[in-house]
Amino acid sequence: MKKLINKVDDVVVEQMQGMAAAHAGVKINLEPKYMYRSDSPISTKVAIVSGGGSGHEPMHCGFVGMGMLDGACPGEMFTSPTPDQMLECAKQVNGGPGVLFLVKNYTGDVMNFDMATEMLHEEGIAVQSILVDDDVAVKDSLYTAGRRGVGTTVLMEKIVGAAAEAGYNLDQCADLARKVNCSGRSMGMALTSCIVPAGGKPNFEIGDDEIEFGVGIHGEPGRKRMKHTTADEITSMLVSGILEDENYTRTVREWDRIKGDWEDKVITSDALKAGDEVIVMVNSLGGTPLSELYVVYKKLAEICEAKGIKIVEKLVGAYITSLEMQGCTITMVKADAEMKKFWNAPVNTPGLRWGI
Protein backbone atom coordinates (compact mmCIF):
# COMPACT_ATOMS: atom_id res chain seq x y z
CA MET A 1 0.00 0.00 0.00
CA LYS A 2 1.37 3.42 -1.00
CA LYS A 3 -0.36 6.56 0.26
CA LEU A 4 0.63 10.18 0.88
CA ILE A 5 0.25 10.02 4.65
CA ASN A 6 2.47 10.30 7.69
CA LYS A 7 0.98 8.19 10.48
CA VAL A 8 -2.21 6.22 9.99
CA ASP A 9 -3.67 7.58 13.22
CA ASP A 10 -3.08 11.18 12.12
CA VAL A 11 -4.72 11.09 8.68
CA VAL A 12 -8.03 12.74 9.59
CA VAL A 13 -6.51 15.41 11.83
CA GLU A 14 -3.84 16.32 9.30
CA GLN A 15 -6.29 16.58 6.41
CA MET A 16 -8.42 18.91 8.54
CA GLN A 17 -5.36 20.99 9.42
CA GLY A 18 -4.34 21.16 5.77
CA MET A 19 -7.80 22.25 4.63
CA ALA A 20 -7.94 25.01 7.26
CA ALA A 21 -4.44 26.17 6.28
CA ALA A 22 -5.44 26.32 2.61
CA HIS A 23 -8.83 28.02 3.08
CA ALA A 24 -9.30 31.08 5.28
CA GLY A 25 -13.09 30.62 5.32
CA VAL A 26 -12.97 27.58 7.61
CA LYS A 27 -11.66 26.79 11.08
CA ILE A 28 -11.22 23.50 12.90
CA ASN A 29 -11.71 22.13 16.37
CA LEU A 30 -9.85 18.93 17.24
CA GLU A 31 -11.34 17.90 20.62
CA PRO A 32 -13.86 16.81 19.46
CA LYS A 33 -13.20 17.03 15.73
CA TYR A 34 -15.31 19.33 13.59
CA MET A 35 -14.91 22.04 10.95
CA TYR A 36 -16.89 25.27 10.93
CA ARG A 37 -17.29 28.56 9.12
CA SER A 38 -14.82 31.23 10.19
CA ASP A 39 -17.65 33.76 10.52
CA SER A 40 -19.90 31.55 12.64
CA PRO A 41 -22.09 31.75 14.60
CA ILE A 42 -24.34 33.93 12.44
CA SER A 43 -27.32 35.35 14.30
CA THR A 44 -29.47 35.83 11.20
CA LYS A 45 -29.51 32.32 9.77
CA VAL A 46 -30.31 28.70 10.51
CA ALA A 47 -27.10 26.68 10.95
CA ILE A 48 -26.78 23.73 8.53
CA VAL A 49 -24.65 20.84 9.83
CA SER A 50 -23.76 17.49 8.33
CA GLY A 51 -21.08 14.87 8.73
CA GLY A 52 -20.01 11.29 8.21
CA GLY A 53 -17.00 9.08 7.92
CA SER A 54 -13.86 10.54 6.36
CA GLY A 55 -12.62 9.26 3.01
CA HIS A 56 -15.38 10.89 0.95
CA GLU A 57 -13.75 14.30 0.51
CA PRO A 58 -14.64 16.96 -0.41
CA MET A 59 -17.90 15.83 1.28
CA HIS A 60 -18.52 17.02 4.01
CA CYS A 61 -15.78 19.31 5.35
CA GLY A 62 -15.04 20.63 1.87
CA PHE A 63 -18.56 22.03 1.70
CA VAL A 64 -18.29 24.21 4.80
CA GLY A 65 -18.62 27.89 3.97
CA MET A 66 -20.90 30.60 2.70
CA GLY A 67 -23.91 29.16 0.89
CA MET A 68 -23.53 25.57 2.09
CA LEU A 69 -22.71 24.10 5.49
CA ASP A 70 -22.02 25.99 8.69
CA GLY A 71 -20.31 22.98 10.20
CA ALA A 72 -19.25 19.41 9.43
CA CYS A 73 -18.25 16.49 11.64
CA PRO A 74 -15.70 14.05 10.19
CA GLY A 75 -15.49 10.57 11.64
CA GLU A 76 -12.51 8.30 11.21
CA MET A 77 -12.17 6.68 7.78
CA PHE A 78 -15.55 5.21 6.77
CA THR A 79 -16.70 5.50 10.40
CA SER A 80 -19.53 7.65 11.72
CA PRO A 81 -18.69 10.71 13.80
CA THR A 82 -19.76 10.60 17.41
CA PRO A 83 -22.71 12.40 19.05
CA ASP A 84 -20.38 14.68 21.04
CA GLN A 85 -18.81 15.91 17.79
CA MET A 86 -22.25 16.72 16.41
CA LEU A 87 -23.39 18.36 19.63
CA GLU A 88 -20.35 20.59 20.02
CA CYS A 89 -20.26 21.51 16.34
CA ALA A 90 -23.95 22.47 16.41
CA LYS A 91 -23.44 24.61 19.53
CA GLN A 92 -20.45 26.33 17.90
CA VAL A 93 -22.38 27.36 14.77
CA ASN A 94 -25.83 27.99 16.27
CA GLY A 95 -26.56 31.70 16.08
CA GLY A 96 -30.07 31.47 17.50
CA PRO A 97 -32.47 30.50 14.67
CA GLY A 98 -31.72 26.80 15.19
CA VAL A 99 -29.77 23.91 13.69
CA LEU A 100 -30.66 21.58 10.82
CA PHE A 101 -28.85 18.24 10.57
CA LEU A 102 -28.59 16.69 7.10
CA VAL A 103 -28.00 12.96 7.61
CA LYS A 104 -27.04 10.26 5.11
CA ASN A 105 -28.92 7.02 5.70
CA TYR A 106 -26.24 4.84 7.27
CA THR A 107 -26.98 3.14 10.57
CA GLY A 108 -24.15 4.75 12.54
CA ASP A 109 -24.78 8.24 11.17
CA VAL A 110 -28.51 8.03 11.86
CA MET A 111 -28.09 6.69 15.39
CA ASN A 112 -25.51 9.30 16.39
CA PHE A 113 -27.27 12.27 14.81
CA ASP A 114 -30.47 11.13 16.55
CA MET A 115 -28.65 11.22 19.88
CA ALA A 116 -27.20 14.65 19.11
CA THR A 117 -30.66 15.93 18.18
CA GLU A 118 -32.04 14.84 21.54
CA MET A 119 -29.09 16.39 23.41
CA LEU A 120 -29.50 19.71 21.59
CA HIS A 121 -33.19 19.72 22.43
CA GLU A 122 -32.37 19.13 26.10
CA GLU A 123 -30.11 22.20 25.98
CA GLY A 124 -32.94 24.32 24.60
CA ILE A 125 -31.64 24.63 21.03
CA ALA A 126 -34.18 24.35 18.21
CA VAL A 127 -33.14 21.44 16.01
CA GLN A 128 -34.42 19.33 13.14
CA SER A 129 -32.91 16.36 11.30
CA ILE A 130 -33.59 15.34 7.68
CA LEU A 131 -32.54 12.03 6.14
CA VAL A 132 -31.00 11.45 2.70
CA ASP A 133 -31.87 8.04 1.17
CA ASP A 134 -31.46 8.38 -2.59
CA ASP A 135 -29.51 5.29 -3.75
CA VAL A 136 -31.78 3.25 -6.02
CA ALA A 137 -29.32 0.35 -6.32
CA VAL A 138 -30.31 -1.65 -3.25
CA LYS A 139 -32.45 -1.52 -0.13
CA ASP A 140 -31.39 -2.74 3.33
CA SER A 141 -27.69 -3.04 2.49
CA LEU A 142 -24.65 -3.75 4.62
CA TYR A 143 -24.82 -0.51 6.66
CA THR A 144 -28.42 0.64 6.22
CA ALA A 145 -32.07 -0.03 6.82
CA GLY A 146 -33.68 1.27 3.65
CA ARG A 147 -31.85 2.98 0.81
CA ARG A 148 -28.37 4.42 1.27
CA GLY A 149 -27.75 8.17 1.31
CA VAL A 150 -25.30 9.20 -1.41
CA GLY A 151 -25.00 11.89 -4.11
CA THR A 152 -28.18 13.83 -3.41
CA THR A 153 -26.49 14.85 -0.15
CA VAL A 154 -24.18 17.22 -2.05
CA LEU A 155 -27.03 18.87 -3.93
CA MET A 156 -29.08 19.13 -0.75
CA GLU A 157 -26.25 20.82 1.12
CA LYS A 158 -25.92 23.38 -1.69
CA ILE A 159 -29.63 24.12 -2.12
CA VAL A 160 -30.57 24.17 1.56
CA GLY A 161 -27.40 26.03 2.51
CA ALA A 162 -28.33 28.81 0.08
CA ALA A 163 -31.87 28.92 1.45
CA ALA A 164 -30.54 29.32 4.99
CA GLU A 165 -28.25 32.09 3.73
CA ALA A 166 -31.31 33.81 2.24
CA GLY A 167 -33.16 33.80 5.57
CA TYR A 168 -35.32 30.66 5.50
CA ASN A 169 -36.38 29.63 9.00
CA LEU A 170 -35.75 26.16 10.45
CA ASP A 171 -39.03 24.64 9.29
CA GLN A 172 -38.63 26.09 5.80
CA CYS A 173 -35.09 24.72 5.54
CA ALA A 174 -36.26 21.29 6.73
CA ASP A 175 -39.16 21.27 4.26
CA LEU A 176 -36.82 22.17 1.41
CA ALA A 177 -34.31 19.49 2.43
CA ARG A 178 -37.07 16.88 2.51
CA LYS A 179 -38.23 17.99 -0.95
CA VAL A 180 -34.71 17.69 -2.36
CA ASN A 181 -34.37 14.20 -0.93
CA CYS A 182 -37.72 13.12 -2.39
CA SER A 183 -36.66 14.55 -5.76
CA GLY A 184 -33.27 12.82 -5.94
CA ARG A 185 -32.02 9.47 -7.16
CA SER A 186 -28.49 8.12 -7.49
CA MET A 187 -26.66 5.02 -8.66
CA GLY A 188 -22.98 4.09 -8.84
CA MET A 189 -20.46 1.54 -10.08
CA ALA A 190 -16.89 0.60 -9.23
CA LEU A 191 -14.01 -0.55 -11.40
CA THR A 192 -11.71 -1.14 -8.41
CA SER A 193 -11.81 -1.30 -4.63
CA CYS A 194 -10.15 1.18 -2.27
CA ILE A 195 -7.74 0.85 0.63
CA VAL A 196 -8.53 2.31 4.06
CA PRO A 197 -5.16 3.34 5.58
CA ALA A 198 -5.74 1.46 8.84
CA GLY A 199 -6.74 -1.69 6.96
CA GLY A 200 -3.86 -1.75 4.53
CA LYS A 201 -5.66 -3.90 1.97
CA PRO A 202 -8.53 -3.50 -0.52
CA ASN A 203 -12.00 -3.22 0.99
CA PHE A 204 -13.23 -5.91 -1.39
CA GLU A 205 -11.79 -8.09 -4.13
CA ILE A 206 -12.72 -7.51 -7.75
CA GLY A 207 -11.24 -9.00 -10.90
CA ASP A 208 -9.39 -6.93 -13.49
CA ASP A 209 -12.19 -7.66 -15.97
CA GLU A 210 -15.08 -7.03 -13.54
CA ILE A 211 -17.16 -4.11 -12.27
CA GLU A 212 -19.43 -3.80 -9.23
CA PHE A 213 -22.74 -2.39 -10.46
CA GLY A 214 -24.69 -0.47 -7.83
CA VAL A 215 -21.75 -0.17 -5.42
CA GLY A 216 -22.04 1.88 -2.21
CA ILE A 217 -19.63 4.66 -1.27
CA HIS A 218 -17.86 2.41 1.25
CA GLY A 219 -17.54 -0.44 -1.22
CA GLU A 220 -20.79 -2.12 -0.12
CA PRO A 221 -22.06 -4.74 -2.59
CA GLY A 222 -24.36 -3.49 -5.33
CA ARG A 223 -26.93 -5.19 -7.53
CA LYS A 224 -24.48 -7.47 -9.29
CA ARG A 225 -20.90 -8.22 -10.23
CA MET A 226 -20.48 -8.18 -14.01
CA LYS A 227 -17.89 -8.14 -16.77
CA HIS A 228 -16.39 -4.80 -17.68
CA THR A 229 -17.90 -3.14 -20.73
CA THR A 230 -17.94 0.22 -22.51
CA ALA A 231 -18.54 3.59 -20.85
CA ASP A 232 -21.71 4.04 -22.91
CA GLU A 233 -23.11 0.69 -21.81
CA ILE A 234 -22.28 1.34 -18.16
CA THR A 235 -23.80 4.83 -18.30
CA SER A 236 -26.94 3.48 -19.95
CA MET A 237 -27.33 0.91 -17.19
CA LEU A 238 -26.86 3.50 -14.43
CA VAL A 239 -29.33 5.91 -15.99
CA SER A 240 -31.83 3.11 -16.60
CA GLY A 241 -31.61 2.17 -12.95
CA ILE A 242 -32.55 5.74 -12.03
CA LEU A 243 -35.22 6.37 -14.66
CA GLU A 244 -36.91 2.99 -14.23
CA ASP A 245 -37.18 3.44 -10.47
CA GLU A 246 -40.88 3.74 -9.66
CA ASN A 247 -42.57 5.89 -7.01
CA TYR A 248 -40.85 5.06 -3.73
CA THR A 249 -42.79 5.41 -0.48
CA ARG A 250 -41.24 4.81 2.94
CA THR A 251 -41.59 5.82 6.58
CA VAL A 252 -38.82 7.91 8.12
CA ARG A 253 -38.32 9.32 11.62
CA GLU A 254 -38.26 13.08 12.12
CA TRP A 255 -37.93 15.13 15.27
CA ASP A 256 -41.03 16.87 16.65
CA ARG A 257 -39.70 19.95 18.44
CA ILE A 258 -43.02 20.66 20.15
CA LYS A 259 -43.43 17.18 21.64
CA GLY A 260 -39.71 16.66 22.11
CA ASP A 261 -39.90 13.20 20.56
CA TRP A 262 -39.53 11.35 17.29
CA GLU A 263 -42.48 10.85 14.96
CA ASP A 264 -42.99 8.68 11.90
CA LYS A 265 -43.48 10.50 8.63
CA VAL A 266 -44.49 8.87 5.33
CA ILE A 267 -42.70 10.37 2.34
CA THR A 268 -42.74 9.53 -1.38
CA SER A 269 -40.22 10.05 -4.16
CA ASP A 270 -42.06 10.31 -7.48
CA ALA A 271 -40.54 8.64 -10.52
CA LEU A 272 -38.74 10.84 -13.06
CA LYS A 273 -40.59 11.31 -16.33
CA ALA A 274 -40.56 13.16 -19.63
CA GLY A 275 -40.94 16.90 -19.17
CA ASP A 276 -39.01 16.99 -15.88
CA GLU A 277 -36.14 19.41 -15.38
CA VAL A 278 -33.18 17.99 -13.49
CA ILE A 279 -29.93 18.93 -11.84
CA VAL A 280 -27.42 16.15 -12.50
CA MET A 281 -24.07 15.19 -11.00
CA VAL A 282 -21.56 12.86 -12.61
CA ASN A 283 -19.21 12.10 -9.76
CA SER A 284 -15.84 10.38 -9.49
CA LEU A 285 -15.41 7.94 -6.62
CA GLY A 286 -11.84 9.22 -6.32
CA GLY A 287 -9.73 7.39 -8.88
CA THR A 288 -11.63 8.05 -12.10
CA PRO A 289 -10.26 11.07 -14.02
CA LEU A 290 -12.30 13.98 -15.29
CA SER A 291 -11.73 12.91 -18.89
CA GLU A 292 -13.67 9.68 -18.30
CA LEU A 293 -16.42 11.49 -16.38
CA TYR A 294 -17.08 13.66 -19.43
CA VAL A 295 -17.50 10.53 -21.54
CA VAL A 296 -20.15 9.44 -19.03
CA TYR A 297 -21.80 12.87 -19.06
CA LYS A 298 -21.97 12.87 -22.86
CA LYS A 299 -23.99 9.65 -22.85
CA LEU A 300 -26.13 10.82 -19.91
CA ALA A 301 -27.06 13.99 -21.80
CA GLU A 302 -27.95 11.99 -24.92
CA ILE A 303 -30.23 9.68 -22.93
CA CYS A 304 -31.95 12.56 -21.12
CA GLU A 305 -32.61 14.37 -24.40
CA ALA A 306 -34.07 11.21 -25.94
CA LYS A 307 -36.30 10.71 -22.87
CA GLY A 308 -37.57 14.29 -22.86
CA ILE A 309 -35.81 15.15 -19.61
CA LYS A 310 -34.12 18.55 -19.55
CA ILE A 311 -30.79 18.97 -17.76
CA VAL A 312 -30.86 22.52 -16.37
CA GLU A 313 -27.72 22.40 -14.18
CA LYS A 314 -24.87 19.96 -13.79
CA LEU A 315 -21.76 19.05 -11.80
CA VAL A 316 -18.99 16.90 -13.24
CA GLY A 317 -16.08 16.06 -10.97
CA ALA A 318 -15.11 14.49 -7.64
CA TYR A 319 -17.58 15.57 -4.94
CA ILE A 320 -18.39 12.44 -2.91
CA THR A 321 -15.51 10.00 -3.15
CA SER A 322 -14.44 6.66 -1.75
CA LEU A 323 -10.72 7.30 -1.25
CA GLU A 324 -8.96 6.20 -4.46
CA MET A 325 -11.71 3.92 -5.79
CA GLN A 326 -12.10 3.97 -9.57
CA GLY A 327 -15.72 4.33 -10.56
CA CYS A 328 -18.49 6.88 -10.77
CA THR A 329 -21.94 7.75 -9.55
CA ILE A 330 -24.79 9.55 -11.30
CA THR A 331 -27.29 11.67 -9.37
CA MET A 332 -30.44 13.20 -10.85
CA VAL A 333 -32.62 15.61 -8.86
CA LYS A 334 -35.90 16.87 -10.26
CA ALA A 335 -35.69 20.64 -9.83
CA ASP A 336 -38.45 23.21 -9.46
CA ALA A 337 -38.03 27.01 -9.51
CA GLU A 338 -37.17 27.20 -5.80
CA MET A 339 -34.46 24.57 -6.08
CA LYS A 340 -32.96 26.11 -9.23
CA LYS A 341 -32.87 29.53 -7.59
CA PHE A 342 -30.89 28.30 -4.61
CA TRP A 343 -28.67 26.06 -6.71
CA ASN A 344 -27.51 29.12 -8.65
CA ALA A 345 -27.02 31.28 -5.54
CA PRO A 346 -23.42 32.21 -4.63
CA VAL A 347 -21.33 29.66 -2.78
CA ASN A 348 -17.80 29.82 -1.37
CA THR A 349 -16.42 26.60 0.12
CA PRO A 350 -13.19 24.64 -0.35
CA GLY A 351 -14.99 22.14 -2.59
CA LEU A 352 -17.53 24.31 -4.44
CA ARG A 353 -17.34 27.96 -5.43
CA TRP A 354 -19.25 30.21 -7.81
CA GLY A 355 -21.02 33.56 -8.01
CA ILE A 356 -18.45 35.27 -5.79
Side-chain angles (χ1 to χ4, degrees):
M1 178 185 73
K2 293 185 287 186
K3 287 183 178 285
L4 281 171
I5 63 174
N6 294 310
K7 296 179 180 179
V8 168
D9 292 343
D10 296 338
V11 171
V12 176
V13 167
E14 290 188 345
Q15 73 181 28
M16 292 176 67
Q17 292 171 328
M19 189 176 292
H23 300 280
V26 297
K27 293 182 178 180
I28 58 173
N29 189 85
L30 296 180
E31 291 294 336
K33 293 190 286 290
Y34 59 84
M35 184 166 285
Y36 60 100
R37 284 175 63 160
S38 298
D39 57 354
S40 66
I42 302 171
S43 63
T44 56
K45 70 180 294 294
V46 171
I48 311 298
V49 174
S50 193
S54 296
H56 305 302
E57 290 72 24
M59 191 188 76
H60 296 273
C61 287
F63 299 136
V64 172
M66 191 277 289
M68 286 191 81
L69 298 177
D70 293 86
C73 308
E76 295 303 316
M77 289 289 168
F78 292 1
T79 303
S80 174
T82 59
D84 67 305
Q85 288 177 259
M86 302 161 183
L87 175 66
E88 294 304 320
C89 179
K91 290 164 64 175
Q92 169 67 48
V93 300
N94 175 41
V99 177
L100 177 62
F101 287 145
L102 304 180
V103 185
K104 301 187 308 301
N105 189 32
Y106 292 94
T107 302
D109 289 6
V110 172
M111 177 178 67
N112 291 344
F113 271 107
D114 281 1
M115 293 174 63
T117 297
E118 294 168 7
M119 290 188 288
L120 279 174
H121 178 78
E122 288 297 316
E123 296 201 19
I125 296 174
V127 60
Q128 183 54 276
S129 180
I130 298 294
L131 197 69
V132 188
D133 60 347
D134 60 314
D135 190 346
V136 305
V138 295
K139 185 179 177 183
D140 301 327
S141 67
L142 191 59
Y143 301 115
T144 62
R147 292 182 172 181
R148 303 175 293 216
V150 287
T152 296
T153 311
V154 176
L155 280 66
M156 181 187 293
E157 290 175 357
K158 171 64 187 79
I159 292 167
V160 179
E165 209 77 47
Y168 270 33
N169 64 33
L170 182 54
D171 287 335
Q172 290 172 319
C173 286
D175 289 344
L176 179 57
R178 191 183 305 107
K179 180 169 72 171
V180 173
N181 183 48
C182 288
S183 302
R185 285 170 163 80
S186 299
M187 196 166 187
M189 56 75 58
L191 298 164
T192 68
S193 184
C194 62
I195 298 174
V196 176
K201 62 181 181 180
N203 257 19
F204 61 91
E205 297 295 330
I206 187 168
D208 290 342
D209 62 343
E210 294 180 321
I211 66 172
E212 184 70 27
F213 181 72
V215 73
I217 57 172
H218 309 94
E220 304 98 315
R223 287 189 180 181
K224 61 181 177 180
R225 181 71 58 89
M226 57 179 283
K227 294 296 183 182
H228 184 39
T229 183
T230 66
D232 281 357
E233 181 65 23
I234 290 170
T235 304
S236 296
M237 293 175 64
L238 291 173
V239 178
S240 292
I242 293 170
L243 297 184
E244 293 172 3
D245 189 53
E246 299 178 348
N247 293 355
Y248 175 54
T249 299
R250 65 280 199 197
T251 300
V252 299
R253 290 206 321 161
E254 290 188 11
W255 183 249
D256 186 320
R257 298 199 308 280
I258 305 302
K259 296 179 181 177
D261 202 356
W262 295 96
E263 64 174 2
D264 289 339
K265 183 181 288 287
V266 178
I267 60 174
T268 299
S269 297
D270 292 333
L272 290 165
K273 63 184 186 303
D276 286 343
E277 294 186 335
V278 294
I279 301 170
V280 302
M281 180 173 69
V282 176
N283 170 68
S284 170
L285 284 172
T288 293
L290 196 56
S291 58
E292 295 178 16
L293 297 181
Y294 280 120
V295 175
V296 172
Y297 181 81
K298 172 181 174 290
K299 185 62 176 178
L300 167 62
E302 291 173 357
I303 295 171
C304 286
E305 183 176 8
K307 297 286 188 180
I309 295 172
K310 183 179 180 181
I311 297 175
V312 291
E313 303 294 344
K314 75 282 296 181
L315 279 181
V316 181
Y319 298 100
I320 172 171
T321 61
S322 187
L323 294 169
E324 75 280 16
M325 183 184 291
Q326 288 181 268
C328 73
T329 64
I330 293 175
T331 297
M332 301 177 68
V333 173
K334 180 181 177 180
D336 61 13
E338 180 185 36
M339 291 159 64
K340 289 186 287 184
K341 170 188 172 182
F342 290 126
W343 177 261
N344 286 305
V347 60
N348 187 13
T349 71
L352 210 61
R353 185 176 188 271
W354 62 64
I356 305 301

